[in-house]
mmCIF file of all heavy atoms in Angstrom:
data_model
loop_
_atom_site.group_PDB
_atom_site.id
_atom_site.type_symbol
_atom_site.label_atom_id
_atom_site.label_comp_id
_atom_site.label_asym_id
_atom_site.label_seq_id
_atom_site.Cartn_x
_atom_site.Cartn_y
_atom_site.Cartn_z
ATOM 1 N N THR A 1 -31.718 -65.248 74.979
ATOM 2 C CA THR A 1 -31.801 -63.816 74.682
ATOM 3 C C THR A 1 -30.528 -63.272 74.034
ATOM 4 O O THR A 1 -30.579 -62.336 73.237
ATOM 5 C CB THR A 1 -32.075 -63.028 75.970
ATOM 6 O OG1 THR A 1 -31.021 -63.288 76.909
ATOM 7 C CG2 THR A 1 -33.400 -63.443 76.584
ATOM 8 N N GLY A 2 -29.393 -63.839 74.400
ATOM 9 C CA GLY A 2 -28.120 -63.343 73.901
ATOM 10 C C GLY A 2 -27.192 -63.008 75.057
ATOM 11 O O GLY A 2 -27.599 -63.021 76.225
ATOM 12 N N THR A 3 -25.965 -62.699 74.758
ATOM 13 C CA THR A 3 -24.986 -62.426 75.804
ATOM 14 C C THR A 3 -23.977 -61.384 75.341
ATOM 15 O O THR A 3 -23.841 -61.124 74.138
ATOM 16 C CB THR A 3 -24.246 -63.724 76.187
ATOM 17 O OG1 THR A 3 -23.422 -63.498 77.305
ATOM 18 C CG2 THR A 3 -23.415 -64.245 75.016
ATOM 19 N N GLU A 4 -23.281 -60.791 76.318
ATOM 20 C CA GLU A 4 -22.250 -59.803 75.996
ATOM 21 C C GLU A 4 -20.891 -60.482 75.889
ATOM 22 O O GLU A 4 -20.558 -61.373 76.679
ATOM 23 C CB GLU A 4 -22.184 -58.722 77.079
ATOM 24 C CG GLU A 4 -23.273 -57.670 76.959
ATOM 25 C CD GLU A 4 -23.049 -56.504 77.895
ATOM 26 O OE1 GLU A 4 -22.440 -56.714 78.964
ATOM 27 O OE2 GLU A 4 -23.458 -55.377 77.559
ATOM 28 N N VAL A 5 -20.112 -60.060 74.912
ATOM 29 C CA VAL A 5 -18.741 -60.551 74.761
ATOM 30 C C VAL A 5 -17.805 -59.342 74.722
ATOM 31 O O VAL A 5 -18.205 -58.228 74.383
ATOM 32 C CB VAL A 5 -18.583 -61.381 73.462
ATOM 33 C CG1 VAL A 5 -19.445 -62.632 73.509
ATOM 34 C CG2 VAL A 5 -18.921 -60.550 72.230
ATOM 35 N N ILE A 6 -16.553 -59.578 75.110
ATOM 36 C CA ILE A 6 -15.553 -58.508 75.077
ATOM 37 C C ILE A 6 -14.873 -58.508 73.717
ATOM 38 O O ILE A 6 -14.417 -59.537 73.229
ATOM 39 C CB ILE A 6 -14.506 -58.710 76.191
ATOM 40 C CG1 ILE A 6 -15.190 -58.669 77.557
ATOM 41 C CG2 ILE A 6 -13.418 -57.653 76.103
ATOM 42 C CD1 ILE A 6 -14.255 -58.945 78.720
ATOM 43 N N GLU A 7 -14.836 -57.311 73.113
ATOM 44 C CA GLU A 7 -14.229 -57.165 71.794
ATOM 45 C C GLU A 7 -13.143 -56.104 71.834
ATOM 46 O O GLU A 7 -13.220 -55.147 72.620
ATOM 47 C CB GLU A 7 -15.287 -56.747 70.764
ATOM 48 C CG GLU A 7 -15.848 -57.880 69.958
ATOM 49 C CD GLU A 7 -16.630 -57.388 68.745
ATOM 50 O OE1 GLU A 7 -16.772 -56.153 68.583
ATOM 51 O OE2 GLU A 7 -17.094 -58.223 67.960
ATOM 52 N N ASP A 8 -12.154 -56.271 70.992
ATOM 53 C CA ASP A 8 -11.113 -55.249 70.842
ATOM 54 C C ASP A 8 -11.524 -54.246 69.774
ATOM 55 O O ASP A 8 -11.962 -54.629 68.682
ATOM 56 C CB ASP A 8 -9.786 -55.890 70.426
ATOM 57 C CG ASP A 8 -9.157 -56.689 71.560
ATOM 58 O OD1 ASP A 8 -9.256 -56.240 72.711
ATOM 59 O OD2 ASP A 8 -8.591 -57.757 71.288
ATOM 60 N N ASP A 9 -11.423 -52.971 70.107
ATOM 61 C CA ASP A 9 -11.660 -51.915 69.124
ATOM 62 C C ASP A 9 -10.359 -51.707 68.358
ATOM 63 O O ASP A 9 -9.356 -51.252 68.912
ATOM 64 C CB ASP A 9 -12.083 -50.619 69.829
ATOM 65 C CG ASP A 9 -12.581 -49.583 68.832
ATOM 66 O OD1 ASP A 9 -12.009 -49.505 67.715
ATOM 67 O OD2 ASP A 9 -13.532 -48.860 69.157
ATOM 68 N N LYS A 10 -10.361 -52.041 67.073
ATOM 69 C CA LYS A 10 -9.129 -51.987 66.278
ATOM 70 C C LYS A 10 -8.590 -50.567 66.129
ATOM 71 O O LYS A 10 -7.390 -50.358 65.972
ATOM 72 C CB LYS A 10 -9.380 -52.594 64.895
ATOM 73 C CG LYS A 10 -9.682 -54.091 64.957
ATOM 74 C CD LYS A 10 -9.920 -54.662 63.565
ATOM 75 C CE LYS A 10 -10.224 -56.148 63.633
ATOM 76 N NZ LYS A 10 -10.492 -56.728 62.298
ATOM 77 N N LYS A 11 -9.491 -49.592 66.181
ATOM 78 C CA LYS A 11 -9.044 -48.204 66.016
ATOM 79 C C LYS A 11 -8.369 -47.667 67.272
ATOM 80 O O LYS A 11 -7.317 -47.026 67.204
ATOM 81 C CB LYS A 11 -10.227 -47.315 65.638
ATOM 82 C CG LYS A 11 -10.802 -47.627 64.260
ATOM 83 C CD LYS A 11 -11.947 -46.680 63.935
ATOM 84 C CE LYS A 11 -12.512 -46.970 62.545
ATOM 85 N NZ LYS A 11 -13.638 -46.066 62.221
ATOM 86 N N THR A 12 -8.998 -47.919 68.428
ATOM 87 C CA THR A 12 -8.461 -47.350 69.681
ATOM 88 C C THR A 12 -7.603 -48.325 70.462
ATOM 89 O O THR A 12 -6.843 -47.924 71.333
ATOM 90 C CB THR A 12 -9.614 -46.869 70.574
ATOM 91 O OG1 THR A 12 -10.411 -48.007 70.952
ATOM 92 C CG2 THR A 12 -10.495 -45.875 69.839
ATOM 93 N N GLY A 13 -7.755 -49.609 70.157
ATOM 94 C CA GLY A 13 -7.007 -50.622 70.905
ATOM 95 C C GLY A 13 -7.642 -50.957 72.246
ATOM 96 O O GLY A 13 -7.119 -51.770 72.996
ATOM 97 N N ARG A 14 -8.760 -50.324 72.556
ATOM 98 C CA ARG A 14 -9.439 -50.586 73.826
ATOM 99 C C ARG A 14 -10.440 -51.735 73.680
ATOM 100 O O ARG A 14 -10.890 -52.054 72.593
ATOM 101 C CB ARG A 14 -10.176 -49.324 74.298
ATOM 102 C CG ARG A 14 -9.244 -48.171 74.642
ATOM 103 C CD ARG A 14 -10.053 -46.980 75.120
ATOM 104 N NE ARG A 14 -9.207 -45.855 75.504
ATOM 105 C CZ ARG A 14 -9.658 -44.696 75.926
ATOM 106 N NH1 ARG A 14 -10.970 -44.494 76.017
ATOM 107 N NH2 ARG A 14 -8.826 -43.724 76.252
ATOM 108 N N LYS A 15 -10.763 -52.303 74.829
ATOM 109 C CA LYS A 15 -11.750 -53.374 74.851
ATOM 110 C C LYS A 15 -13.123 -52.798 75.203
ATOM 111 O O LYS A 15 -13.223 -51.849 75.970
ATOM 112 C CB LYS A 15 -11.363 -54.443 75.868
ATOM 113 C CG LYS A 15 -10.048 -55.157 75.560
ATOM 114 C CD LYS A 15 -9.764 -56.236 76.586
ATOM 115 C CE LYS A 15 -8.416 -56.880 76.339
ATOM 116 N NZ LYS A 15 -8.381 -57.605 75.050
ATOM 117 N N HIS A 16 -14.155 -53.377 74.636
ATOM 118 C CA HIS A 16 -15.513 -52.943 74.955
ATOM 119 C C HIS A 16 -16.451 -54.140 74.855
ATOM 120 O O HIS A 16 -16.127 -55.164 74.240
ATOM 121 C CB HIS A 16 -15.970 -51.834 74.011
ATOM 122 C CG HIS A 16 -16.142 -52.287 72.592
ATOM 123 N ND1 HIS A 16 -15.090 -52.437 71.728
ATOM 124 C CD2 HIS A 16 -17.260 -52.623 71.893
ATOM 125 C CE1 HIS A 16 -15.530 -52.842 70.554
ATOM 126 N NE2 HIS A 16 -16.854 -52.970 70.630
ATOM 127 N N PHE A 17 -17.624 -53.986 75.475
ATOM 128 C CA PHE A 17 -18.612 -55.051 75.443
ATOM 129 C C PHE A 17 -19.509 -54.918 74.213
ATOM 130 O O PHE A 17 -19.915 -53.818 73.835
ATOM 131 C CB PHE A 17 -19.497 -55.013 76.705
ATOM 132 C CG PHE A 17 -18.796 -55.502 77.942
ATOM 133 C CD1 PHE A 17 -18.299 -54.602 78.872
ATOM 134 C CD2 PHE A 17 -18.630 -56.862 78.159
ATOM 135 C CE1 PHE A 17 -17.645 -55.042 80.005
ATOM 136 C CE2 PHE A 17 -17.989 -57.315 79.302
ATOM 137 C CZ PHE A 17 -17.496 -56.401 80.224
ATOM 138 N N LYS A 18 -19.810 -56.067 73.612
ATOM 139 C CA LYS A 18 -20.714 -56.091 72.469
ATOM 140 C C LYS A 18 -21.787 -57.153 72.732
ATOM 141 O O LYS A 18 -21.474 -58.274 73.134
ATOM 142 C CB LYS A 18 -19.959 -56.418 71.183
ATOM 143 C CG LYS A 18 -20.864 -56.454 69.952
ATOM 144 C CD LYS A 18 -20.088 -56.815 68.693
ATOM 145 C CE LYS A 18 -20.996 -56.865 67.471
ATOM 146 N NZ LYS A 18 -20.272 -57.255 66.248
ATOM 147 N N PHE A 19 -23.053 -56.776 72.518
ATOM 148 C CA PHE A 19 -24.141 -57.714 72.740
ATOM 149 C C PHE A 19 -24.363 -58.569 71.491
ATOM 150 O O PHE A 19 -24.565 -58.052 70.397
ATOM 151 C CB PHE A 19 -25.434 -56.967 73.091
ATOM 152 C CG PHE A 19 -26.603 -57.880 73.363
ATOM 153 C CD1 PHE A 19 -26.675 -58.607 74.542
ATOM 154 C CD2 PHE A 19 -27.626 -58.011 72.433
ATOM 155 C CE1 PHE A 19 -27.753 -59.454 74.791
ATOM 156 C CE2 PHE A 19 -28.704 -58.852 72.680
ATOM 157 C CZ PHE A 19 -28.762 -59.568 73.862
ATOM 158 N N ILE A 20 -24.301 -59.877 71.670
ATOM 159 C CA ILE A 20 -24.555 -60.830 70.583
ATOM 160 C C ILE A 20 -25.967 -61.368 70.751
ATOM 161 O O ILE A 20 -26.285 -62.008 71.758
ATOM 162 C CB ILE A 20 -23.540 -61.986 70.594
ATOM 163 C CG1 ILE A 20 -22.110 -61.458 70.553
ATOM 164 C CG2 ILE A 20 -23.808 -62.934 69.425
ATOM 165 C CD1 ILE A 20 -21.766 -60.688 69.313
ATOM 166 N N LYS A 21 -26.823 -61.082 69.792
ATOM 167 C CA LYS A 21 -28.223 -61.496 69.895
ATOM 168 C C LYS A 21 -28.375 -63.013 69.880
ATOM 169 O O LYS A 21 -27.664 -63.716 69.155
ATOM 170 C CB LYS A 21 -29.031 -60.889 68.748
ATOM 171 C CG LYS A 21 -29.181 -59.377 68.841
ATOM 172 C CD LYS A 21 -30.013 -58.832 67.698
ATOM 173 C CE LYS A 21 -30.215 -57.322 67.843
ATOM 174 N NZ LYS A 21 -31.027 -56.765 66.740
ATOM 175 N N GLY A 22 -29.312 -63.497 70.704
ATOM 176 C CA GLY A 22 -29.591 -64.921 70.784
ATOM 177 C C GLY A 22 -30.638 -65.370 69.780
ATOM 178 O O GLY A 22 -31.159 -64.565 68.985
ATOM 179 N N PRO A 23 -31.008 -66.643 69.823
ATOM 180 C CA PRO A 23 -31.944 -67.200 68.828
ATOM 181 C C PRO A 23 -33.375 -66.671 68.933
ATOM 182 O O PRO A 23 -34.167 -66.902 68.024
ATOM 183 C CB PRO A 23 -31.906 -68.705 69.117
ATOM 184 C CG PRO A 23 -31.413 -68.827 70.521
ATOM 185 C CD PRO A 23 -30.479 -67.684 70.728
ATOM 186 N N ILE A 24 -33.708 -65.963 70.020
ATOM 187 C CA ILE A 24 -35.055 -65.402 70.131
ATOM 188 C C ILE A 24 -35.264 -64.270 69.122
ATOM 189 O O ILE A 24 -36.392 -63.911 68.798
ATOM 190 C CB ILE A 24 -35.324 -64.895 71.573
ATOM 191 C CG1 ILE A 24 -36.843 -64.709 71.784
ATOM 192 C CG2 ILE A 24 -34.579 -63.599 71.852
ATOM 193 C CD1 ILE A 24 -37.234 -64.382 73.199
ATOM 194 N N PHE A 25 -34.173 -63.739 68.588
ATOM 195 C CA PHE A 25 -34.268 -62.650 67.605
ATOM 196 C C PHE A 25 -34.519 -63.231 66.206
ATOM 197 O O PHE A 25 -33.670 -63.187 65.321
ATOM 198 C CB PHE A 25 -33.003 -61.799 67.617
ATOM 199 C CG PHE A 25 -32.892 -60.914 68.823
ATOM 200 C CD1 PHE A 25 -32.276 -61.370 69.981
ATOM 201 C CD2 PHE A 25 -33.414 -59.636 68.825
ATOM 202 C CE1 PHE A 25 -32.178 -60.564 71.105
ATOM 203 C CE2 PHE A 25 -33.328 -58.819 69.948
ATOM 204 C CZ PHE A 25 -32.706 -59.288 71.087
ATOM 205 N N ALA A 26 -35.700 -63.795 66.048
ATOM 206 C CA ALA A 26 -36.147 -64.327 64.756
ATOM 207 C C ALA A 26 -37.641 -64.107 64.669
ATOM 208 O O ALA A 26 -38.310 -63.867 65.679
ATOM 209 C CB ALA A 26 -35.805 -65.814 64.645
ATOM 210 N N ASN A 27 -38.188 -64.174 63.472
ATOM 211 C CA ASN A 27 -39.632 -63.985 63.318
ATOM 212 C C ASN A 27 -40.416 -65.187 63.829
ATOM 213 O O ASN A 27 -41.485 -65.041 64.413
ATOM 214 C CB ASN A 27 -39.990 -63.730 61.857
ATOM 215 C CG ASN A 27 -39.391 -62.453 61.312
ATOM 216 O OD1 ASN A 27 -38.633 -62.479 60.347
ATOM 217 N ND2 ASN A 27 -39.715 -61.328 61.919
ATOM 218 N N ILE A 28 -39.872 -66.375 63.579
ATOM 219 C CA ILE A 28 -40.521 -67.608 64.056
ATOM 220 C C ILE A 28 -39.512 -68.397 64.877
ATOM 221 O O ILE A 28 -38.413 -68.699 64.410
ATOM 222 C CB ILE A 28 -41.042 -68.451 62.877
ATOM 223 C CG1 ILE A 28 -42.164 -67.698 62.146
ATOM 224 C CG2 ILE A 28 -41.541 -69.803 63.359
ATOM 225 C CD1 ILE A 28 -42.809 -68.479 61.016
ATOM 226 N N VAL A 29 -39.888 -68.702 66.106
ATOM 227 C CA VAL A 29 -38.998 -69.425 67.028
ATOM 228 C C VAL A 29 -39.645 -70.747 67.406
ATOM 229 O O VAL A 29 -40.785 -70.781 67.885
ATOM 230 C CB VAL A 29 -38.732 -68.599 68.299
ATOM 231 C CG1 VAL A 29 -37.874 -69.386 69.284
ATOM 232 C CG2 VAL A 29 -38.058 -67.275 67.956
ATOM 233 N N LEU A 30 -38.917 -71.836 67.185
ATOM 234 C CA LEU A 30 -39.359 -73.153 67.636
ATOM 235 C C LEU A 30 -38.701 -73.440 68.982
ATOM 236 O O LEU A 30 -37.487 -73.610 69.062
ATOM 237 C CB LEU A 30 -38.980 -74.230 66.616
ATOM 238 C CG LEU A 30 -39.229 -75.678 67.043
ATOM 239 C CD1 LEU A 30 -40.713 -75.909 67.319
ATOM 240 C CD2 LEU A 30 -38.724 -76.648 65.993
ATOM 241 N N ALA A 31 -39.494 -73.451 70.039
ATOM 242 C CA ALA A 31 -39.002 -73.751 71.388
ATOM 243 C C ALA A 31 -39.232 -75.234 71.633
ATOM 244 O O ALA A 31 -40.279 -75.643 72.134
ATOM 245 C CB ALA A 31 -39.724 -72.898 72.422
ATOM 246 N N ASP A 32 -38.242 -76.045 71.259
ATOM 247 C CA ASP A 32 -38.402 -77.498 71.268
ATOM 248 C C ASP A 32 -38.283 -78.059 72.675
ATOM 249 O O ASP A 32 -37.280 -77.847 73.358
ATOM 250 C CB ASP A 32 -37.357 -78.132 70.342
ATOM 251 C CG ASP A 32 -37.903 -79.348 69.624
ATOM 252 O OD1 ASP A 32 -39.065 -79.726 69.884
ATOM 253 O OD2 ASP A 32 -37.174 -79.937 68.810
ATOM 254 N N GLU A 33 -39.308 -78.781 73.108
ATOM 255 C CA GLU A 33 -39.377 -79.398 74.442
ATOM 256 C C GLU A 33 -39.134 -78.363 75.542
ATOM 257 O O GLU A 33 -38.218 -78.484 76.350
ATOM 258 C CB GLU A 33 -38.393 -80.566 74.546
ATOM 259 C CG GLU A 33 -38.722 -81.706 73.593
ATOM 260 C CD GLU A 33 -37.941 -82.972 73.874
ATOM 261 O OE1 GLU A 33 -36.753 -83.020 73.510
ATOM 262 O OE2 GLU A 33 -38.506 -83.899 74.457
ATOM 263 N N ILE A 34 -40.004 -77.355 75.551
ATOM 264 C CA ILE A 34 -39.878 -76.235 76.489
ATOM 265 C C ILE A 34 -39.961 -76.690 77.946
ATOM 266 O O ILE A 34 -39.437 -76.027 78.840
ATOM 267 C CB ILE A 34 -40.946 -75.162 76.186
ATOM 268 C CG1 ILE A 34 -40.681 -73.879 76.972
ATOM 269 C CG2 ILE A 34 -42.340 -75.710 76.439
ATOM 270 C CD1 ILE A 34 -41.589 -72.730 76.625
ATOM 271 N N ASN A 35 -40.597 -77.828 78.194
ATOM 272 C CA ASN A 35 -40.745 -78.304 79.570
ATOM 273 C C ASN A 35 -39.491 -79.019 80.089
ATOM 274 O O ASN A 35 -39.505 -79.556 81.193
ATOM 275 C CB ASN A 35 -41.960 -79.235 79.687
ATOM 276 C CG ASN A 35 -41.909 -80.424 78.741
ATOM 277 O OD1 ASN A 35 -41.338 -80.332 77.654
ATOM 278 N ND2 ASN A 35 -42.497 -81.532 79.127
ATOM 279 N N ARG A 36 -38.406 -79.002 79.316
ATOM 280 C CA ARG A 36 -37.175 -79.652 79.783
ATOM 281 C C ARG A 36 -36.164 -78.659 80.356
ATOM 282 O O ARG A 36 -35.043 -79.026 80.687
ATOM 283 C CB ARG A 36 -36.512 -80.440 78.644
ATOM 284 C CG ARG A 36 -37.363 -81.571 78.142
ATOM 285 C CD ARG A 36 -36.555 -82.719 77.574
ATOM 286 N NE ARG A 36 -37.439 -83.841 77.280
ATOM 287 C CZ ARG A 36 -37.833 -84.753 78.154
ATOM 288 N NH1 ARG A 36 -37.415 -84.666 79.407
ATOM 289 N NH2 ARG A 36 -38.643 -85.724 77.806
ATOM 290 N N THR A 37 -36.555 -77.401 80.451
ATOM 291 C CA THR A 37 -35.630 -76.395 80.966
ATOM 292 C C THR A 37 -36.232 -75.738 82.209
ATOM 293 O O THR A 37 -37.458 -75.673 82.341
ATOM 294 C CB THR A 37 -35.323 -75.346 79.869
ATOM 295 O OG1 THR A 37 -34.086 -74.710 80.135
ATOM 296 C CG2 THR A 37 -36.421 -74.310 79.770
ATOM 297 N N PRO A 38 -35.401 -75.254 83.136
ATOM 298 C CA PRO A 38 -35.917 -74.673 84.387
ATOM 299 C C PRO A 38 -36.761 -73.424 84.158
ATOM 300 O O PRO A 38 -36.664 -72.762 83.127
ATOM 301 C CB PRO A 38 -34.631 -74.332 85.164
ATOM 302 C CG PRO A 38 -33.578 -75.210 84.594
ATOM 303 C CD PRO A 38 -33.930 -75.363 83.143
ATOM 304 N N PRO A 39 -37.611 -73.079 85.145
ATOM 305 C CA PRO A 39 -38.531 -71.927 85.014
ATOM 306 C C PRO A 39 -37.837 -70.609 84.680
ATOM 307 O O PRO A 39 -38.399 -69.781 83.964
ATOM 308 C CB PRO A 39 -39.195 -71.863 86.395
ATOM 309 C CG PRO A 39 -39.142 -73.259 86.906
ATOM 310 C CD PRO A 39 -37.865 -73.831 86.381
ATOM 311 N N LYS A 40 -36.622 -70.397 85.193
ATOM 312 C CA LYS A 40 -35.916 -69.140 84.926
ATOM 313 C C LYS A 40 -35.657 -68.963 83.429
ATOM 314 O O LYS A 40 -35.787 -67.852 82.887
ATOM 315 C CB LYS A 40 -34.594 -69.115 85.700
ATOM 316 C CG LYS A 40 -33.851 -67.789 85.633
ATOM 317 C CD LYS A 40 -32.608 -67.827 86.504
ATOM 318 C CE LYS A 40 -31.886 -66.484 86.472
ATOM 319 N NZ LYS A 40 -30.679 -66.488 87.324
ATOM 320 N N THR A 41 -35.317 -70.050 82.763
ATOM 321 C CA THR A 41 -35.050 -69.982 81.324
ATOM 322 C C THR A 41 -36.360 -69.900 80.542
ATOM 323 O O THR A 41 -36.460 -69.184 79.541
ATOM 324 C CB THR A 41 -34.231 -71.208 80.878
ATOM 325 O OG1 THR A 41 -33.048 -71.299 81.680
ATOM 326 C CG2 THR A 41 -33.832 -71.103 79.418
ATOM 327 N N GLN A 42 -37.371 -70.618 81.000
ATOM 328 C CA GLN A 42 -38.688 -70.518 80.368
ATOM 329 C C GLN A 42 -39.186 -69.074 80.412
ATOM 330 O O GLN A 42 -39.755 -68.564 79.445
ATOM 331 C CB GLN A 42 -39.692 -71.429 81.088
ATOM 332 C CG GLN A 42 -39.426 -72.905 80.907
ATOM 333 C CD GLN A 42 -40.354 -73.757 81.768
ATOM 334 O OE1 GLN A 42 -41.079 -73.243 82.621
ATOM 335 N NE2 GLN A 42 -40.328 -75.059 81.557
ATOM 336 N N ALA A 43 -38.949 -68.396 81.563
ATOM 337 C CA ALA A 43 -39.427 -67.025 81.756
ATOM 338 C C ALA A 43 -38.800 -66.058 80.755
ATOM 339 O O ALA A 43 -39.428 -65.085 80.337
ATOM 340 C CB ALA A 43 -39.148 -66.556 83.176
#
């Protein structure tokens, strides 16, 4: 799905969280060997 990373705001110098989109954010997704990952990830 993606994850949050901490980024520095160059204007304010403060740190903030930014969401980096995962590979599910595509029109066509190939889920290769879906039965090799635990149910939580399949879900």
Side-chain angles (χ1 to χ4, degrees):
T1 59
T3 187
E4 281 189 331
V5 296
I6 299 176
E7 263 194 357
D8 289 322
D9 190 323
K10 294 180 180 179
K11 293 182 179 179
T12 64
R14 295 181 178 179
K15 297 182 184 295
H16 67 280
F17 286 101
K18 180 181 179 182
F19 181 74
I20 305 297
K21 292 181 177 180
I24 197 173
F25 287 89
N27 296 121
I28 295 184
V29 177
L30 173 61
D32 216 357
E33 296 192 283
I34 190 174
N35 57 330
R36 297 208 172 276
T37 203
K40 187 176 182 179
T41 306
Q42 291 174 351

